[in-house]
Amino acid sequence: MISCSAPGKVILFGEHAVVYGKPAIALAVDRRVRCKMSKANEKTTVNGYDINYQHHSYILKCIEKTGVSDPLKITTVSDLPSGAGMGSSAAITVSTLGGLYNLKGFSELESIAKDAFQIEYEVQGGASPIDTSTSLHGSAVMVYEKEMNNLLWTIEKDGKVWNVHHIKIPDIHIVIGDTGIGAPTGPLVEKVRRFYSKSNFAKEVIEDIGNLVLEGRKALEEEDLHKIGKLMNKNHKLLSILGVSHPKLNGLVKAAKRYSYGAKLTGAGGGGSIVALTEHPEKVASAIEERGGTPYILDSSKNGLKVEQTSK
Ligand code: PMV
């Protein structure tokens, strides 16, 4: 039997601009997905059901990719809400790959990073490696087409190059505020693409976000929470100019900012969630609730993929 766990993530800086080769930073959070597996007699099951693509697309792809052919009894437990932009599909993929590779006696992180990215890409029909790499590595990662210090691995696909770097982070409290409004990533990326292709102003905004992310990296390494918060506020304004915010996101940002260093939408926008950085998580959570959002109080997590238990 083997049990592995992997964390969720929030994007702290740089969503959307990352699509144009700019850097983005994501932070691992202390809510995890756990995946337990042991050999079974006849067929592979997930949480008691026969494995099937409709319900277990990520897990099935993990099995195909690693070539594990023995039937398995797989159990998953998640304390990450799904659909709130916290990377639950990446965490499921990384924790499952961790278990399967362990069964094969192999655990090279760079290969897991590449496989996990490829699986998200195939299931979602496109992805950047930021979610899967953050879940695998923990702490925080910056993806960027340029290579910087503390390179972890490089992922290439369809002519795009993502260098994935480790970033040192302070212990921080964050609060997520989920609007409850579902907004798929694809159409929002497309909306920004239309704006970008027609307007030099949009190109300048993307450039500004890229520069802000590099400042954010420095502020994280210097543990300057005030600076990180200011940059989050600025990033939210720039994302609003790009047209990916929503009145409810703006309302939650405004409510959270009263007790925070800073707050911004996180992920694709158009709905989804905000993230706030704060010393007063309970106060921020209440403010988010009063504005009609669902709050999740989280801490940053230094741990990425963890093997929690192995036995014969
Ligand atoms: O919706 P999320 O949290 O996976 O974030 C999407 C981030 C984008 O920059 C909008 C798209 C991308 O693939 O990087």
Side-chain angles (χ1 to χ4, degrees):
M1 195 277 292
I2 174 141
S3 174
C4 286
S5 74
K9 68 90 200 28
V10 293
I11 298 183
L12 205 55
F13 298 115
E15 49 275 268
H16 287 288
V18 69
V19 173
Y20 302 89
K22 304 297 175 202
I25 295 175
L27 197 69
V29 297
D30 63 345
R31 287 207 184 202
R32 306 176 74 83
V33 171
R34 287 182 176 73
C35 178
K36 203 159 110 176
M37 53 184 75
S38 52
K39 297 248 161 86
N41 291 332
E42 279 173 35
K43 52 190 180 181
T44 295
T45 57
V46 179
N47 299 329
Y49 295 96
D50 290 358
I51 192 162
N52 64 81
Y53 193 77
Q54 195 191 348
H55 297 106
H56 315 119
S57 46
Y58 293 95
I59 296 175
L60 205 54
K61 287 262 181 197
C62 291
I63 292 173
E64 277 169 25
K65 192 76 57 202
T66 50
V68 172
S69 51
D70 295 329
L72 296 169
K73 179 179 178 216
I74 299 175
T75 317
T76 61
V77 180
S78 173
D79 44 43
L80 271 170
S82 65
M86 283 192 242
S88 63
S89 60
I92 233 319
T93 305
V94 169
S95 58
T96 306
L97 281 176
L100 291 167
Y101 270 132
N102 234 283
L103 288 179
K104 294 184 78 167
F106 170 87
S107 57
E108 215 242 304
L109 288 182
E110 183 162 350
S111 304
I112 299 179
K114 289 182 173 164
D115 282 354
F117 161 69
Q118 183 61 29
I119 288 165
E120 273 223 322
Y121 193 95
E122 285 170 20
V123 175
Q124 297 173 5
S128 80
I130 196 160
D131 286 18
T132 43
S133 282
T134 308
S135 184
L136 177 61
H137 176 67
S139 187
V141 306
M142 181 171 87
V143 299
Y144 195 12
E145 66 179 10
K146 292 187 189 154
E147 189 180 323
M148 314 276 281
N149 292 338
N150 297 328
L151 181 72
L152 293 168
W153 45 73
T154 302
I155 292 180
E156 292 179 43
K157 178 93 188 164
D158 301 335
K160 279 195 193 162
V161 178
W162 291 280
N163 289 300
V164 180
H165 308 82
H166 161 77
I167 301 198
K168 191 171 129 309
I169 44 159
D171 289 328
I172 50 183
H173 302 299
I174 55 180
V175 183
I176 297 292
D178 185 1
T179 60
I181 301 167
T185 301
L188 287 148
V189 170
E190 191 42 44
K191 183 177 178 186
V192 175
R193 192 179 296 285
R194 282 199 302 275
F195 190 20
Y196 184 88
S197 65
K198 281 195 220 123
S199 150
N200 282 336
F201 176 60
K203 292 190 182 81
E204 279 168 28
V205 174
I206 296 282
E207 199 63 41
D208 286 350
I209 294 178
N211 293 333
L212 173 157
V213 179
L214 296 176
E215 279 186 70
R217 178 198 193 189
K218 194 158 163 274
L220 280 164
E221 291 188 334
E222 289 170 356
E223 308 200 352
D224 185 344
L225 300 182
H226 290 280
K227 183 82 202 259
I228 299 167
K230 275 194 186 139
L231 290 168
M232 288 169 75
N233 294 341
K234 189 171 166 194
N235 199 166
H236 182 74
K237 284 198 186 118
L238 292 170
L239 287 164
S240 305
I241 294 170
L242 284 182
V244 296
S245 195
H246 181 281
K248 194 153 178 197
L249 283 169
N250 294 340
L252 294 186
V253 163
K254 197 170 166 205
K257 265 163 75 172
R258 280 170 53 208
Y259 307 107
S260 302
Y261 293 107
K264 62 181 273 292
L265 72 85
T266 180
S273 298
I274 67 143
V275 55
L277 174 64
T278 180
E279 299 286 354
H280 310 286
E282 302 293 343
K283 285 187 180 167
V284 174
S286 305
I288 286 171
E289 235 167 358
E290 275 164 29
R291 277 283 185 140
T294 307
Y296 299 96
I297 296 177
L298 307 169
D299 284 328
S300 54
S301 167
K302 301 245 156 49
N303 295 316
L305 173 65
K306 260 195 339 197
V307 178
E308 305 209 326
Q309 215 181 338
T310 49
S311 64
K312 292 275 161 203

